[in-house]
Amino acid sequence: MEIFSIASGSSGNCIVVGDDDHHVLIDSGISGKKIEQGLNKYDLCARDIDAILVTHEHWDHISGLGVMARRYGLPIYGTKGTINAIRRYSGLTKYKALGNIDDSLFNCIERDVDFSIGDLDIHPIHISHDAADPVGYRLSNNGKSVAVVTDLGTYDDYTIDNMKDLDVLFVEANHDINMLEVGPYPYPLKQRILSDSGHLSNAASGDLLGKVLNDHVKHIFLGHLSAENNIPELAYETVRQEVTLGDNPYKADDFPITVALRHEVSEMVTA
């Protein structure tokens, strides 16, 4: 299993997960051109992609979906609520970049119901976010597993159970609470981000990681950082501190941790 980020943040998200024979995009919230350029960095191209897994319908996760689907005939997987929301968006002038997507490309999935794409086994994980029916994804192959879990305002025992025994974790570290509280966002938006259906703070991300780490974790990605309410160095250090000081047997130095940046392709990690 291999994973890398092409883009991660409120301006656009696109993660690549695969193996030697099959690859999928998790979200396509950037332009088709940028997706192609990101794939090319690791000698891949759009023709190597088998499908697009959509976490939810927010624009930073689907803005390049129509272009990629139409240009390459890529099947799209998402929950019924997500797909219906995307269909509604495609008819709005505001989202004209999405365009019309052939209904035959949509494939409805359900949270906690496994499905496969090639030899990739995929488990959709329900997440708490203000979208129609959002999910994260856990992907497995040959005894290795990775998960992409972002855009969640809170987590519970269900979330923790679905993130155990992973080899690579891609988890949200969206904001620093103090930066958000004193920052320029209007009060209602601040409340939305801080709510249980908003986004995970740096501290909460570190706390979650402390509950799901295991001896065979190969790598941790921190993703979906806010441009206005976070900085990569702060996210990195806060998460490290939470893991090291938390009630768990691990220290931050036990695992490589990388911040997935907004406009830069990350390193490729192999589980």
Side-chain angles (χ1 to χ4, degrees):
M1 294 284 288
E2 56 193 27
I3 177 173
F4 64 94
S5 169
I6 297 178
S8 183
S10 54
S11 58
N13 297 272
C14 185
I15 315 300
V16 183
V17 181
D19 57 20
D20 290 340
D21 301 310
H22 299 280
H23 291 84
V24 297
L25 300 181
I26 298 181
D27 292 327
S28 54
I30 56 176
S31 71
K33 180 179 179 180
K34 290 181 179 178
I35 292 174
E36 282 276 16
Q37 290 172 341
L39 291 168
N40 292 165
K41 180 172 180 179
Y42 293 109
D43 296 323
L44 295 169
C45 67
R47 298 295 181 190
D48 296 311
I49 301 301
D50 293 272
I52 303 172
L53 311 183
V54 181
T55 60
H56 62 292
E57 72 276 9
H58 289 168
W59 191 241
D60 56 322
H61 295 261
I62 65 165
S63 62
L65 183 66
V67 169
M68 294 299 291
R70 285 188 297 274
R71 184 175 295 167
Y72 302 106
L74 292 174
I76 300 164
Y77 290 78
T79 62
K80 183 177 181 180
T82 295
I83 289 174
N84 285 341
I86 292 171
R87 285 174 171 144
R88 290 195 297 272
Y89 281 2
S90 66
L92 300 177
T93 303
K94 180 180 178 181
Y95 301 106
K96 63 180 180 179
L98 185 61
N100 293 319
I101 302 173
D102 194 314
D103 273 351
S104 66
L105 294 175
F106 286 114
N107 297 268
C108 281
I109 61 171
E110 297 180 34
R111 62 176 78 169
D112 298 316
V113 177
D114 295 351
F115 64 100
S116 296
I117 296 175
D119 55 10
L120 301 176
D121 298 320
I122 304 168
H123 181 81
I125 305 167
H126 174 66
I127 54 176
S128 178
H129 194 52
D130 56 352
D133 188 10
V135 293
Y137 290 100
R138 179 175 179 137
L139 301 94
S140 303
N141 172 258
N142 289 330
K144 303 294 184 180
S145 296
V146 306
V148 176
V149 183
T150 65
D151 296 75
L152 67 165
T154 189
Y155 58 86
D156 53 20
D157 289 343
Y158 163 86
T159 316
I160 293 168
D161 287 343
N162 277 281
M163 293 180 66
K164 287 182 176 178
D165 300 318
L166 290 164
D167 296 278
V168 181
L169 300 90
F170 193 110
V171 64
E172 178 172 58
N174 176 257
H175 61 274
D176 173 77
I177 293 175
N178 290 331
M179 286 184 67
L180 176 62
E181 289 178 337
V182 303
Y185 279 8
Y187 180 75
L189 180 55
K190 291 180 180 181
Q191 292 302 105
R192 176 226 166 205
I193 293 169
L194 290 168
S195 75
D196 284 353
S197 58
H199 290 279
L200 215 59
S201 70
N202 296 336
S205 179
D207 185 66
L208 172 58
L209 284 169
K211 292 176 169 59
V212 300
L213 291 172
N214 63 78
D215 289 344
H216 56 83
V217 168
K218 302 289 192 307
H219 203 96
I220 298 164
F221 285 100
L222 306 179
H224 212 294
L225 274 66
S226 167
E228 294 79 11
N229 305 303
N230 212 349
I231 55 176
E233 296 81 3
L234 181 57
Y236 177 79
E237 292 298 341
T238 303
V239 168
R240 283 175 53 84
Q241 184 178 50
E242 289 293 328
V243 170
T244 297
L245 299 180
D247 185 18
N248 67 82
Y250 300 104
K251 306 298 181 186
D253 288 337
D254 294 336
F255 313 96
I257 300 175
T258 299
V259 177
L261 301 177
R262 301 169 71 83
H263 303 298
E264 295 182 24
V265 180
S266 75
E267 64 185 294
M268 178 189 285
V269 172
T270 301

